[in-house]
């Protein structure tokens, strides 16, 4: 699994951060795979990084699609916020998605 560091325009960052936009359309130049992680950096229209809550969030790719009317060389992938938490009884980090479902990045 990889962590992809991607820029995102401020116009879209808020919708992704609050969970209203659950997909990305990107040039398929990074080998996106289901289970990979995405870290966004919000930028303005001039490409300058700006402070935004999304800069401190981590997302997991849940689905990857190409073909089927998607422009050649591009991909659409689904994302959901990934939240790591410490479970006291197990005493090791375990990830959960925003709905509290357990995720196992190594699988």
């Amino acid at each position: 699994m990889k962590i992809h560091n991607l820029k995102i325009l401020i116009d879209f960052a808020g919708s992704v951060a609050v969970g209203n936009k659950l997909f990305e359309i990107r040039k398929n130049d990074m080998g996106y795979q289901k289970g990979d992680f995405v870290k966004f950096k919000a930028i303005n229209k001039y490409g300058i990084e700006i402070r935004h809550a999304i800069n401190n969030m981590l997302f997991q790719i849940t689905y990857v699609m190409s073909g089927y009317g998607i422009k050649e060389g591009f991909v659409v992938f689904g994302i959901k916020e990934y939240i790591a938490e410490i479970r006291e009884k197990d005493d090791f980090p375990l990830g959960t998605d925003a709905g509290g479902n357990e995720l196992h990045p190594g699988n």
Side-chain angles (χ1 to χ4, degrees):
M1 274 183 255
K2 290 180 170 179
I3 296 178
H4 303 280
N5 294 296
L6 304 176
K7 295 177 184 175
I8 187 168
L9 284 171
I10 189 66
D11 300 353
F12 304 110
S15 293
V16 172
V18 298
N20 290 334
K21 182 176 178 281
L22 302 174
F23 65 92
E24 282 293 305
I25 302 170
R26 296 284 175 148
K27 189 173 183 178
N28 194 12
D29 58 353
M30 300 184 92
Y32 301 106
Q33 297 291 318
K34 179 180 176 180
D36 285 356
F37 294 92
V38 176
K39 290 186 76 171
F40 291 106
K41 290 294 179 188
I43 59 170
N44 64 21
K45 64 182 179 179
Y46 303 107
I48 298 170
E49 188 176 316
I50 56 175
R51 290 175 56 158
H52 192 281
I54 202 166
N55 296 348
N56 298 316
M57 300 172 80
L58 182 65
F59 296 85
Q60 188 168 36
I61 296 177
T62 58
Y63 186 83
V64 179
M65 186 172 107
S66 59
Y68 301 100
I70 299 167
K71 186 176 178 178
E72 187 174 334
F74 284 78
V75 65
V76 176
F77 57 83
I79 55 173
K80 65 180 173 183
E81 185 178 4
Y82 181 82
I83 301 171
E85 64 180 31
I86 303 295
R87 291 178 50 175
E88 292 178 25
K89 71 175 189 170
D90 296 328
D91 199 30
F92 65 90
L94 178 71
T96 63
D97 66 17
N101 301 306
E102 292 183 0
L103 302 173
H104 304 281
N107 297 338

